[in-house]
Amino acid sequence: MDADEVADIFASFGPVKCRRMFGGLGIYADGVMFALSGFGEIYLKADQALAARLEGEGSKPFAYEGKGRIISLGYWSIPDRRLDDPDAVAEIAYAALDVARRAAEAKAAKPKRTRRT
């Protein structure tokens, strides 16, 4: 999936920026990565509540095998039934952006560890 296809999917949501990452795309709104594209699908950042909602709609988590184990990053696919409805995509994209903003704020508020020399 390329950046133009991603922009079309999020047309009702608003402008998004795509950056290449690991053979896929990181998808950003307002400077925050809230989604990613890989393996021909788009995955949205999800907390426990949004993940449960998306799973209930048939979504699958973004996961890959690394170092002999399955690694899941907290991103879930856009449900197939929503892909045909730009407003339905926008609705869950806003929820994913909210999750991504809260995660970024929590990360920024965390005190940085200092190295001992």
Side-chain angles (χ1 to χ4, degrees):
M1 190 167 297
D2 67 22
D4 289 336
E5 291 171 305
V6 169
D8 286 345
I9 290 169
F10 289 106
S12 289
F13 170 75
V16 296
K17 290 187 178 188
C18 296
R19 294 184 190 151
R20 291 187 182 276
M21 66 178 245
F22 309 112
L25 297 172
I27 304 168
Y28 295 77
D30 298 331
V32 178
M33 186 172 139
F34 75 100
L36 60 87
S37 173
F39 308 112
E41 293 204 49
I42 295 176
Y43 299 86
L44 301 169
K45 179 103 172 125
D47 58 9
Q48 192 172 7
L50 183 56
R53 182 174 157 201
L54 292 171
E55 185 176 25
E57 293 186 42
S59 293
K60 294 178 179 53
F62 176 81
Y64 64 94
E65 187 173 342
K67 297 184 181 182
R69 63 186 176 101
I70 300 296
I71 299 170
S72 181
L73 299 178
Y75 287 80
W76 286 74
S77 62
I78 296 176
D80 289 338
R81 71 168 190 84
R82 288 184 179 258
L83 287 173
D84 295 330
D85 183 349
D87 292 332
V89 169
E91 187 253 328
I92 57 168
Y94 286 120
L97 180 59
D98 183 53
V99 169
R101 282 181 177 146
R102 283 186 276 122
E105 288 170 4
K107 186 176 180 179
K110 221 176 186 181
K112 294 187 180 190
R113 292 181 11 195
T114 56
R115 295 177 99 184
R116 286 190 224 168
T117 54

